[in-house]
Amino acid sequence: MPNIQLSNNLRYLRKQYQLTQDQMGEILNISRQAYSNYETSNRTPDLDTLLFLSNFYKVTLDELILANLKDNRRYPEKISEDLTPYILTKNAKTGNTIYLTEEEMDVITRFRALSNENKQIITGFLHANS
């Protein structure tokens, strides 16, 4: 039996965070069509995906599945690094969840603050040494 409220909430939250279905597919490591099926109630995400989405959107699992989030205006107009600086994602090859350590998050934060020229230098160095 389709969960219309879940579908509505997924669509609402994605739009609030100004993400496309393509972007959500990439985040979840699924196709845009597969993600679209979640928003149209043709398929229901598995429990791991639901847990990931509730963490990603900073809502409880109950809120994601049961609440009418459109009526609760606590969600930002767009995604902000202050709210969701790093995404837990699934490795494309293994399907395992990837978590960042504090050190890795520090490296990413510092990298993002660099000029484009310095980013290219660092990226070139990393590619040369991998």
Side-chain angles (χ1 to χ4, degrees), residues 19 27 52 56 79 84-90 98-100:
L19 295 167
I27 290 167
F52 174 86
F56 179 78
I79 195 165
T84 312
Y86 305 100
I87 298 171
L88 304 178
T89 187
K90 296 206 183 272
I98 298 170
Y99 296 93
L100 299 177

Side-chain angles (χ1 to χ4, degrees), residues 49-86:
T49 303
L50 288 171
L51 290 169
F52 174 86
L53 289 166
S54 70
N55 183 49
F56 179 78
Y57 288 127
K58 308 290 189 233
V59 297
T60 67
L61 199 52
D62 283 348
E63 287 175 315
L64 183 64
I65 296 170
L66 302 172
N68 182 353
L69 297 178
K70 280 186 179 179
D71 291 341
N72 185 351
R73 304 271 190 249
R74 73 179 177 100
Y75 303 100
E77 291 301 315
K78 64 179 184 175
I79 195 165
S80 163
E81 285 194 359
D82 293 335
L83 293 173
T84 312
Y86 305 100

